[in-house]
Amino acid sequence: MTGPLSGVRIIELAGIGPGPFAAMMLADHGAEVIRIEKDGLLHLPGDPQYRGRRGIKLDLKREVARAAFLKLVATADALIDPYRPGKLEALGLGPGALHAVNPALVIGRVTGWGQHGPMAQRAGHDINYLAISGLLHGMGEAGGRPLPPSNLVADYGAGAMMLAFAMAASLREVAAGTEKGRVIDCAMSEESALLGTFLYSLHNAGLLHDQREAGLLDGGSGLYGTYETADGKWLAVGAMEPQFRARLLDGLGLAGDERFEDTLDDAHWPAQKHVIAETIASRPLQHWLDLFEDVDACVTPVLTKGEAPSHPHNVARWTFYEHEMGPMPAPAPRYGKAPLRPAQDGEGGAALLRELGYDGAAIADILGEAE
């Protein structure tokens, strides 16, 4: 189906991490995305994060390329800027220059530390942004070191998704009639902190301590965690509510066990975790999956990336699609029952410049030192 952003044109200045993923999201939901390529960026050939683009290489240090870029900006609705603060301004292409040719342009600037502040010009990665948000400290096993959840939180959950949301919100504002665009300051460090709003609420209420594996939702509670089975596989348990807890304990043969009379007092959690772990470790994974097949006890297998695409629910929902690199997550969320199709690439380069009115000689001049 056609996405709701159909008819929206977005320019993406080439970067890594949150910028490309946000652009992929916007393209999957119908936007036309034009990627201004540059040399020196590493990404996997055929990486679906870069799908749905029209690409063109422009050396923005050259006046003729900057002029073509501004002509393109005049046709766009939004732009993604993944550079460190001040880089676009140094090229003479800061928000003032961009809004001079397109006052309604939405400019999404995504950085690690934000456009200002004492760390604004410092390098960093997902782990660093997550570290100062207060969230990384609570991730990992009790008594161990903090363990980052890959780069899923700051880069993608915070940076990319918050950027895509803010751009869609700003595009809605422009569509409603405002004549001025927005400059979005998307900082992965503070958006990571925002994702932890619920955890900060628990902490402020005295229900979550600054320790690892010590809270209700981080593996501290025996009713919310992962357990190894007899065949070395893993089962995820999330039986927090009374009705789910009762069904879980019944299935495990622990109904009526006095150790579970109080499941909110963390003093009882070690004993509860021990008996659940001991019980689940006594049988292979398939035994538990069969046992809880039709039981609403919040029990699921912990699947590998090789296993997840063939899970019956994922198959029924078209959660993955076949890509040249192998199974890949499909666009989400969906609108109604029909899934969105992955966005397809369009013509870029010379074709794009011809659409802007340039002839062969001008196109050769613009692209001469970039392609």
Side-chain angles (χ1 to χ4, degrees), residues 18 30 74 86 121 125 187 196 199 235 243 252 268-269 275 297 299 315 346:
Q121 290 298 331
H125 280 293
L199 298 181
L235 197 69
Q243 67 273 28
L252 296 178
H268 299 290
W269 289 353
V275 67
V299 174
V315 172

Side-chain angles (χ1 to χ4, degrees), residues 132-212:
I132 74 160
S133 74
L135 300 186
L136 180 59
H137 184 273
M139 298 177 178
E141 293 185 345
R145 68 188 191 279
L147 293 175
S150 189
N151 66 332
L152 297 176
V153 177
D155 274 358
Y156 298 120
M161 300 303 294
M162 297 289 189
L163 176 64
F165 169 79
M167 292 185 72
S170 298
L171 287 165
R172 168 68 180 83
E173 181 182 42
V174 172
T178 181
E179 296 180 356
K180 300 182 72 173
R182 290 274 188 181
V183 179
I184 301 164
D185 183 357
C186 183
M188 287 178 270
S189 53
E190 62 199 38
E191 274 113 30
S192 295
L194 179 62
L195 291 179
T197 298
F198 176 63
L199 298 181
Y200 269 96
S201 296
L202 290 176
H203 180 270
N204 293 341
L207 299 175
L208 181 65
H209 307 296
D210 284 327
Q211 299 170 342
R212 284 178 281 288

